Amino acid sequence: MLEPADTDPADTGAVEPVWVSPTWRALLAAGVRTVASVPDAGLAALIRRAEATADVTAVPLSTEEEGVALLAGAWLGGSPGVLLMQSSGVGNCINLLSLARTCRFPLLMVVTMRGQYGERNPWQVPMGSTAAEVLRASGVLVFDVQDEADVAPTVEAAAAMVFSGAGMAAVLIGQRVIGAKAFAAAGR
Amino acid sequence: MSAIDPDRAERYPIRRRPFVAGLLAGDDGVLVVTGLGAPAWDATAAGDRDRTFPLWGAMGGAVAMGLGLALARPRDRVLVLTGDGELLMGLGSLSTVGYHRPANLAVVVLDNERYGETGAQPTHTARYTDLAGVAAACGWPCTGTARTPDEAAALAAGLWAQEGPRFWVVKVAAADEPLVMPPRDGAHLKERFRRALLGEP
């Protein structure tokens, strides 16, 4: 079990979760050059990788559905991308998924799950328990990952499918992999 | 606060169709994303073209889509042509553009202060919302509102000479125009755009 990611911010020099480096390599190997994101503690290291990579455009969003449209625009311009978000962001995306579905834009999503396992914020539980179902109902291939060793190979497999024409796919990284948020000092 | 005339937009002197035709005339290189509804019909009336991606849905997504295209193609000019109702659904995307500030992006909002496709209900710009003010507050270096045909003509002529990203509201008359629809097969629209720009679908 990893340390809770919230207690592991970049500036402490703490250890990056082991799945991050191979997952980032898998994304680059799949051709990903645009990384759109709304942050989650579990995605912080991946977002830092994107920001630190010269040929990659990292795009912080104000809300997740922007990412669906933004990646469609990037694809029109020849730049394959990925959308990073936490499970609560899935609900924000639903209508915009119609863009990817109707136009058959490739859409690769990596979603860190909250509200799923040991969650201490009950407000995270609704999307945590329905994100996979909602995505499937919207026509998205869903890959549910519960072991950190499976994250990178699953992202590689999902990317291969998305960018060879299979449409939309989401890799859901389970809260057992990410760790439940600690709510220690700040009481957030 | 004084009352606002709910019919004021019917008297705006700028007509959307000639303005859009003038904005796009002869500019074969510009990459265009249009918001759904009237701006898509306006752009199509000016001439259906491969390098225009007209949205038929995804309301609120036009600016974000244009941003993704602008970031992916920094040497090309990208124009988002949308409406007030469409933009109001994605106001946050103005702050996302303000964060990145791509110099090759322009957004032009054809603001008739109405939801034109659903019965001409007033949008929030029919009262106090100032979209150019929102963009300015989000850090866009060049913003403004055109209200007269002269201002609109100056905008069409000088849009790309301004520091980008630039954001303009054009207050257009609330009036019905004939429907001129682009192809509605989204996969076709996507593939023809990519073929024209990248040489591959």
Side-chain angles (χ1 to χ4, degrees):
Chain A
M1 188 73 179
L2 295 167
E3 288 299 305
D6 277 43
T7 63
D8 185 22
D11 52 11
T12 67
V15 178
E16 191 174 70
V18 295
W19 57 268
V20 171
S21 183
T23 298
W24 180 239
R25 284 199 302 274
L27 288 169
L28 289 178
V32 165
R33 295 295 178 270
T34 300
V35 178
S37 65
V38 174
D40 180 51
L43 291 165
L46 211 49
I47 293 169
R48 283 197 298 275
R49 292 284 184 129
E51 287 168 344
T53 303
D55 293 339
V56 168
T57 304
V59 188
L61 307 165
S62 70
T63 177
E64 293 82 357
E65 68 262 39
E66 284 175 10
V68 179
L70 183 123
L71 292 181
W75 179 257
L76 283 184
S79 180
V82 65
L83 174 56
L84 310 178
M85 61 185 149
Q86 66 170 261
S87 43
S88 53
V90 169
N92 290 348
C93 290
I94 299 307
N95 182 51
L96 266 288
L97 294 178
S98 64
L99 172 62
R101 183 167 178 169
T102 307
C103 304
R104 280 188 272 122
F105 278 105
L107 179 61
L108 176 63
M109 295 175 273
V110 175
V111 181
T112 43
M113 298 302 294
R114 297 280 310 264
Q116 198 182 47
Y117 191 83
E119 177 67 56
R120 292 178 178 84
N121 178 353
W123 297 49
Q124 287 281 358
V125 175
M127 279 314 304
S129 57
T130 58
E133 249 180 293
V134 162
L135 286 166
R136 284 196 187 95
S138 303
V140 178
L141 287 166
V142 174
F143 298 85
D144 200 0
V145 177
Q146 294 297 337
D147 186 314
E148 65 183 8
D150 292 336
V151 177
T154 306
V155 167
E156 182 182 355
M161 294 175 76
V162 162
F163 295 123
S164 55
M168 304 180 280
V171 177
L172 310 187
I173 305 177
Q175 199 165 18
R176 293 184 78 165
V177 174
I178 302 298
K181 187 168 176 165
F183 290 97
R188 284 174 295 168
Chain B
M1 205 169 272
S2 59
I4 289 178
D5 174 3
D7 299 326
R8 66 180 182 183
E10 291 167 18
R11 297 187 300 276
Y12 288 159
I14 301 173
R15 304 288 303 203
R16 56 191 308 145
R17 285 282 160 91
F19 168 72
V20 171
L23 185 63
L24 298 176
D27 192 351
D28 294 335
V30 67
L31 308 178
V32 180
V33 174
T34 84
L36 79 174
W41 322 146
D42 296 335
T44 308
D48 184 37
R49 63 198 280 280
D50 291 352
R51 292 177 192 227
T52 294
F53 192 94
L55 288 160
W56 279 83
M59 191 164 176
V63 169
M65 191 165 181
L67 173 62
L69 180 56
L71 293 172
R73 300 289 297 185
R75 295 198 176 105
D76 288 316
R77 290 171 296 120
V78 175
L79 169 66
V80 175
L81 199 57
T82 191
D84 43 311
E86 200 278 342
L87 181 63
L88 284 163
M89 201 171 279
L91 270 189
S93 60
L94 295 184
S95 70
T96 302
V97 171
Y99 186 90
H100 298 280
R101 285 199 178 198
N104 59 332
L105 178 66
V107 172
V108 173
V109 183
L110 301 161
D111 182 4
N112 63 354
E113 305 180 357
R114 301 281 188 277
Y115 291 101
E117 302 297 310
T118 56
Q121 300 89 346
T123 67
H124 293 184
T125 63
R127 292 194 176 177
Y128 303 107
T129 296
D130 168 11
L131 293 172
V134 175
C138 290
W140 293 57
C142 185
T143 64
T145 300
R147 300 176 186 279
T148 68
D150 284 351
E151 288 169 350
L155 170 62
L159 181 67
W160 298 104
Q162 298 167 351
E163 184 184 359
R166 68 285 286 158
F167 179 95
W168 279 86
V169 172
V170 179
K171 290 286 186 179
V172 295
D176 287 335
E177 301 284 354
L179 278 179
V180 184
M181 294 186 288
R184 64 184 91 196
D185 178 343
H188 165 70
L189 293 166
K190 173 197 68 178
E191 284 163 18
R192 77 175 193 176
F193 190 107
R194 277 175 55 95
R195 201 171 270 120
L197 182 63
L198 308 169
E200 57 177 272

